[in-house]
Structure formats: structure tokens, C-alpha cells
Amino acid sequence: MSFRDLAAIILEKVGGKENVSAVGHCVTRLRFNLKDDKKADTEAIKNIKGVVGVVNQGGQYQIVIGNDVQNVHKELVKLGNFNEPNGNQEKEKEKGKIAKVLDIISGIFFPIIPAIAGAGMLKALLALLLAFNWTTVKSETYQFLNFIADAAFYFLPILLAASASKKFKVNQYMAMVIGAVLVHPTFISMMNTSKAAGTNMDFLGISVPAVLYASSVIPIILAIWCMSYVEPFMGRIVPKSLNIVLVPLFTLIIVAPVTLIIIGPLGNQFGQVLGMGITFLNTHVSWLVPTLMGTFTPFLVMTGMHYGIIPIGMNMLATKGIDTVAGPGMLVSNMAQGAAAFGVALRTKNTTIKQLASSAGLTAIAGVTEPAMYGISLRFKRPLIATMIGGGIGGLFIGIMGVGRYAQVVPSIFSLPSYIGPNGFTNLIYAAIGCVLSFVTALIVSYILGIEDPVEESIESKTETKKEIISDNVIYSPIKGKSVELKEVNDAVFSEGILGKGVAIIPTEGKVFAPVDGIVTAFFDTHHAIGITGENGSEILIHVGIDTVNLRGRYYTPKVTKGQNVKKGDLLLEFDMDGIKTEGYDIITPFIITNSTDHTDISSITGKDVEAGEALLKLA
């Protein structure tokens, strides 16, 4: 199935674009804000080929796709025209306060993760080079690489300002200016001078605390939140003819000083208190937080609450230089998630599940756990138990040993170099042992618990069912035109038989008729494609034109509706061939048996003109 077709099906099943307030995506999930969650057909979405799972948490309807999510999202945006604002205020009002906070935190931090992950991995690589004496801190090459790696963290307030501006709906570039104010060289120089003299700085007679904001997290978020009130207020009171000049001016001269005098120091104090709390736990019950993180990370990821932990880890790195909360606990949990999937792969006899579990296990230990979580753990439940047990044991060990990471990286097997500390390899060794403990424990528990393997019964019953229901093995042409081989279709999904075997028809008449007796099981809002399940067990797709989903229903006139029973020869659809051609689209129509694997063979008639209702395909 092409990304476009997958996006079209998903859009239909969530209630159409009219039910979508906004849609975004993360590493593996489409994230919808729906006007009415009840309109989404969750069970149908779970059964779509290409969908791993569905989660409705924290005010978001999330559809787990996997590594292809970006491609599917791109097609969704085109289909629904979601680039334009679509009035999300109503949905925001319906969210609870916790859901709103989680949504804001995830929305702020997710866009910058690639930048800090890349910089963090470079820091980890440099630590590795130093540990093996392959370079020295005095080397200019090391110094170049070190400041390149430091850049993303040093200017973190600017990165956070850019992403926070989108969540708080303020001008992005003005927000970045506020972030730049906090790390401006002149301000830092004034602050250092003030500290050396033992005095505070002065602005209009008001004392400005000497606080370092490089690599800080909380102050800039609070600053942009403040800006979200100041900028709109100025926009209302300033004459429209002067908006472009005076609104930025007043916003800057109000928000920047208020941030330096009040908001920034308060945010800094909050970060310090948070750090003191974590330090207290690490001092008195060092095993507790990593154990809880190792055990319950899957649930945090499911609800999106892990984005609330990331700022804590980043704050620890900024204030203490080491993160003992977010990174270590998530690392052992991810190892356990991958191991639980591998345990299923070793135990199951179902080749499809074995393949899914193997690939999902690999992606989990590489830091992307959603395929394993939704495709295996939540689906079969027992692997989730194995994940929690393995993650908890690994978390307990690293907690007792005081393991921490020294760079912000995605928790994965590749992030282990970030655990190389100033005292050599001890911390890294303990981190590696924690990973092994969680992996081995989860693997063994997952293998012992197993899953309810549906393989043999499912296949046999399916075969028997097909034998019983296939009585008429002839499929008739739905369109008048010339029948050609699928390889002549200029779309690899059809020409390579990815969706199934069949033929293509070059229409000479703009009408589509039912090729068999059956039921209309799919009819997209764009009306360019029809799915029919025949009484003979065949599952048929009639796709009128190539890329015609982009026409959004123009030139198509449906004559039936989804769920309607039809008889062979009933008129299903009329389409304007000339109109479609004028728009630049090919009207060649793939005619596919999508459950081709249920049949020994499918023979077809090609290279000749056919009438609608003429025998065209034969199922064996």
C-alpha cells in the first residue's frame, strides 16, 4: 500500500478531515487532535496494514506507524490541507490541565531532540576518544569538535524558544531573540564582572540577579509563556498601521527585562530546587528513581509523559553535569523492551509475528520502542510483564551503583559511550551490566511466559473458510476499455504487484460497475478508489487513475455508499475522463485482487478491448 493510500484510509477512519483539528507526528506516531474521538473507528484503524497500534491519551489520538510515519504524515497534510490553521481552540478547552501541560512539554522538546541527540552523541564519541587516549583535550581537532558538540547545549535557550513559540503561538523570531538575550556575550561579560565584584547588575535602578542561562531549560520556557500574553495584548492596543514596528518593539522592551529581572531567576531557582530534590533522592534512596523509571517507562511513553522527564534530565546535565534520572532508567527499559520482543520471536511459530518481533526488537534497543511496545508487548500483554520485570531489575542495579550519563542522547545501545565519566570506565561498565541484566531477564521471562500463538489454528481455519466460500471463481470487468498488464501502470505499488495480482484497464467510458456480487467495504471520501468484498471471498480494489487522490473528489460522482450490498453490473461510480486528463492525471485503472495470497493463482485477460461485465480474471 502506498503512503498516500495509507494516509487516505487513516483519514477516513478518524472521521474525515472535518473531524481533525490538527495533526503532527513524532518518531513513530501520527498525533491527531480530533474534534470528536468517538467518530474514530479505532478497531478498524488497528487492522489497517501499515498501522502498528492506536493510543488515545493525553488529549491526543495517536496512531503508531513506525519508521514510515514521516511519509504518511506528508501525504495526510496534502489530503487534508492541514498546513493551514484549523481552529484548535475548542479542543484545547476540552483538555485537562495535566494533558495541556504534557502536550506543551512534548511539543516544545520533540522538535529539538535531533539537534541535542546529535550533539550528545558527538560528546559521547569525544569521551570515547579521550578514554582510549586517541586524542587529548589540548588537540585543536578535539577543541573544534568539542565546541561543535557544545553549541546545541550552550544555545539551548534559543532552540527551546523557537519550538516554544509554536506551542504558545507567538512570533518565532521574536521568541528566538529573547532566547539570544539570555546567552548574549555582553550579558555574560556583565554578569561575570558583577560576580567578581560581589554585586548585582542594575537596570533602571532595579537589581538584576547574576544568573547563567547557557544550557538552561526552564527560564526560557517561562519567558515565552510570558511573551504569549504580552505580544497579543500589544497587537490589540497598537494601531494596525504601526503593528509591524511597535508590537515587536514593546514586546522586546517588556519581555526581555522582565525575563532577566524576574522570570529567569525564578526559573533558575525552580531548576535548582528540582536538582536538590533529585540529589536528596540520590543520596538517601539512590535505587528508587532508576528502578521506577526502568519499570514504568513503557507507560510513560504510552501516555507521552516521558516528555515530562526529559527536561529533568537536561536540567541535571546543565546544573550537575550528570543525569541519573531520565537517561539511565529509560536505557535499561529500552533494552528490556527489545529483549521481550526477541523472546517472542524465539518462541512463536507464526512467521509474521516472528518477523515483526525480530525487527521491533532491533529498533527498541536502538532507541525506538513504539513498534515493539504496540506491535508486541501491548498486543500480547505477557511481553509487557517481561519488559517491566527486566527494566526494573536493570534500574535497581544502576540505581544502587549510581550510574549516570554525561550527555543528552537517545537511550539506546549506541548511547553507552555517553556514560564514560571523568573517573574512567567504571560508570560505563556498570551501565553496560545494567543493560545486560535487563536484557537477559526480559528475554528469559518473555520466552518462558510465551504468547497465545494463533498460528496453526488461524491458518488452517482460514484455508478451510476460503475453500468453503469460493464458489464462483470468475471476476468480471468493472469498466469498458482496454485491458493491459499491471506493469504498464506508472506506480510501483501496482506495477510490482505489491497490493496483489490483477490487471489494469485504460477506460473508454467513465463508468464503474460492480464486478461481482458483494459489499462495498471501502469508498474513500475522494471517491477515486472502491473496495469490494465479493460473496466468493475475493477482496477487490478498483483504483480509478493514478495519484487521483489529489483531486479530492473532483470529477467523481459516487452512485453507492460504503457498506452497501451490490450485484454484479450495478453502477458504482461515474467519472469525468476528460476532466481528470485536463488536470494532468493518468486515468489508467488498476483492478486488483488484494487477497491474492489466498488463491493458488490468478489468471487474467490482457491486450484486448473489454466490455463492462465481460469475464476478466479467474481465481484458482
Side-chain angles (χ1 to χ4, degrees):
M1 184 181 298
S2 69
F3 298 131
R4 183 178 288 107
D5 286 339
L6 178 56
I9 295 172
I10 289 174
L11 187 58
E12 177 196 1
K13 298 301 181 185
V14 298
K17 70 176 184 178
E18 298 79 11
N19 193 39
V20 179
S21 295
V23 61
H25 73 90
C26 57
V27 178
T28 58
R29 311 182 205 182
L30 294 171
R31 294 175 176 269
F32 289 90
N33 286 334
L34 300 180
K35 295 176 182 177
D36 185 356
D37 295 351
K38 295 178 181 178
K39 290 184 179 179
D41 190 344
T42 300
E43 289 305 314
I45 293 171
K46 287 180 180 179
N47 292 323
I48 298 172
K49 185 177 181 181
V51 172
V52 178
V54 177
V55 181
N56 191 5
Q57 293 281 357
Q60 284 190 334
Y61 192 85
Q62 304 168 18
I63 300 178
V64 185
I65 300 295
N67 296 332
D68 292 325
V69 67
Q70 190 170 357
N71 296 315
V72 178
H73 175 262
K74 188 184 298 181
E75 298 301 332
L76 261 176
V77 169
K78 292 178 184 176
L79 281 172
N81 211 13
F82 294 129
N83 278 327
E84 300 176 2
N86 199 18
N88 196 28
Q89 296 178 352
E90 203 171 296
K91 184 66 179 179
E92 288 295 325
K93 290 179 181 178
E94 294 175 4
K95 291 183 182 180
K97 291 182 178 179
I98 295 177
K100 286 181 180 179
V101 171
L102 289 174
D103 183 55
I104 289 171
I105 292 175
S106 64
I108 291 173
F109 279 91
F110 182 78
I112 70 168
I113 285 177
I116 58 179
M121 286 303 295
L122 182 53
K123 296 282 285 185
L125 176 61
L126 289 173
L128 199 61
L129 294 176
L130 287 176
F132 285 103
N133 295 318
W134 290 338
T135 188
T136 65
V137 292
K138 295 182 179 180
S139 164
E140 287 192 350
T141 299
Y142 172 86
Q143 291 175 17
F144 266 105
L145 292 175
N146 193 45
F147 83 71
I148 290 172
D150 278 339
F153 298 103
Y154 186 87
F155 295 105
L156 187 60
I158 299 177
L159 299 181
L160 288 170
S163 57
S165 67
K166 296 181 180 179
K167 296 305 296 182
F168 292 120
K169 296 179 176 58
V170 296
N171 184 280
Q172 183 177 28
Y173 299 100
M174 284 298 298
M176 292 170 69
V177 168
I178 301 299
V181 166
L182 297 181
V183 292
H184 195 283
T186 301
F187 172 71
I188 293 175
S189 176
M190 292 172 64
M191 181 192 65
N192 290 334
T193 302
S194 176
K195 281 186 173 181
T199 61
N200 281 340
M201 295 175 285
D202 177 89
F203 177 77
L204 297 177
I206 304 173
S207 178
V208 179
V211 177
L212 180 65
Y213 296 107
S215 303
S216 64
V217 174
I218 299 172
I220 188 60
I221 294 176
L222 294 177
I224 305 307
W225 170 74
C226 172
M227 182 181 169
S228 70
Y229 289 93
V230 174
E231 187 180 66
F233 176 75
M234 289 300 162
R236 288 193 297 269
I237 66 173
V238 170
K240 290 185 179 180
S241 59
L242 298 175
N243 261 6
I244 194 170
V245 176
L246 295 185
V247 170
L249 170 63
F250 288 130
T251 300
L252 189 59
I253 63 176
I254 292 174
V255 176
V258 168
T259 298
L260 293 173
I261 296 169
I262 302 173
I263 296 175
L266 282 177
N268 182 66
Q269 286 295 321
F270 180 79
Q272 289 184 0
V273 170
L274 188 63
M276 290 170 59
I278 298 298
T279 301
F280 176 83
L281 291 175
N282 286 339
T283 302
H284 295 86
V285 280
S286 62
W287 53 270
L288 179 61
V289 176
T291 302
L292 294 175
M293 287 295 299
T295 304
F296 296 108
T297 287
F299 295 100
L300 295 178
V301 174
M302 274 186 271
T303 58
M305 292 181 66
H306 62 302
Y307 286 111
I309 305 297
I310 291 174
I312 297 175
M314 293 177 67
N315 184 73
M316 288 193 69
L317 285 170
T319 56
K320 305 291 184 181
I322 184 172
D323 166 27
T324 57
V325 176
M330 289 183 178
L331 174 64
V332 294
S333 176
N334 289 0
M335 296 303 105
Q337 188 76 254
F342 285 135
V344 171
L346 291 173
R347 181 72 181 267
T348 184
K349 295 179 182 179
N350 184 311
T351 54
T352 301
I353 296 175
K354 186 183 292 290
Q355 183 179 4
L356 172 62
S358 299
S359 61
L362 287 172
T363 60
I365 63 174
V368 180
T369 58
E370 280 88 348
M373 186 187 308
Y374 295 107
I376 301 298
S377 293
L378 290 179
R379 180 179 176 184
F380 298 110
K381 306 300 185 296
R382 296 174 190 171
L384 179 60
I385 297 173
T387 298
M388 295 176 67
I389 293 173
I393 289 176
L396 177 62
F397 175 80
I398 63 173
I400 293 173
M401 297 302 172
V403 173
R405 64 176 176 179
Y406 295 89
Q408 177 69 34
V409 292
V410 175
S412 74
I413 193 70
F414 304 112
S415 68
L416 280 174
S418 67
Y419 290 81
I420 299 175
N423 298 322
F425 289 98
T426 303
N427 187 68
L428 171 65
I429 292 171
Y430 287 145
I433 293 174
C435 289
V436 172
L437 278 174
S438 61
F439 187 92
V440 172
T441 302
L443 181 68
I444 293 173
V445 173
S446 177
Y447 185 84
I448 292 174
L449 293 179
I451 61 172
E452 294 182 6
D453 205 335
V455 182
E456 294 180 1
E457 179 184 353
S458 172
I459 291 177
E460 288 172 2
S461 61
K462 186 175 180 180
T463 303
E464 289 174 6
T465 302
K466 291 301 176 185
K467 287 179 181 177
E468 290 173 5
I469 64 177
I470 294 178
S471 55
D472 183 0
N473 61 354
V474 176
I475 309 293
Y476 301 89
S477 176
I479 298 175
K480 178 182 179 181
K482 183 178 181 180
S483 174
V484 298
E485 295 182 22
L486 280 176
K487 65 182 181 181
E488 295 192 26
V489 178
N490 188 25
D491 187 323
V493 173
F494 296 112
S495 62
E496 296 177 11
I498 295 174
L499 287 182
K501 297 180 180 179
V503 298
I505 303 171
I506 303 173
T508 56
E509 183 180 47
K511 293 182 179 181
V512 179
F513 300 91
V516 292
D517 295 350
I519 185 172
V520 178
T521 48
F523 206 168
F524 301 132
D525 291 340
T526 51
H527 303 136
H528 72 292
I530 307 170
I532 297 176
T533 298
E535 291 181 357
N536 61 358
S538 58
E539 296 174 6
I540 301 166
L541 173 65
I542 308 168
H543 197 287
V544 184
I546 303 303
D547 292 332
T548 46
V549 65
N550 295 324
L551 293 173
R552 296 187 175 90
R554 295 197 308 276
Y555 308 112
Y556 293 91
T557 305
K559 298 298 181 181
V560 293
T561 59
K562 180 184 172 184
Q564 183 174 330
N565 288 301
V566 294
K567 293 292 184 181
K568 174 186 166 293
D570 286 351
L571 181 62
L572 305 177
L573 174 71
E574 290 183 348
F575 58 97
D576 183 350
M577 294 192 299
D578 294 333
I580 296 171
K581 289 178 182 178
T582 301
E583 295 279 356
Y585 293 95
D586 189 348
I587 61 171
I588 191 170
T589 299
F591 180 42
I592 306 293
I593 307 300
T594 57
N595 62 336
S596 296
T597 55
D598 291 335
H599 310 285
T600 306
D601 190 24
I602 298 176
S603 56
S604 59
I605 300 172
T606 58
K608 61 166 287 187
D609 292 333
V610 293
E611 295 289 333
E614 183 177 340
L616 189 57
L617 300 175
K618 186 176 182 180
L619 311 178

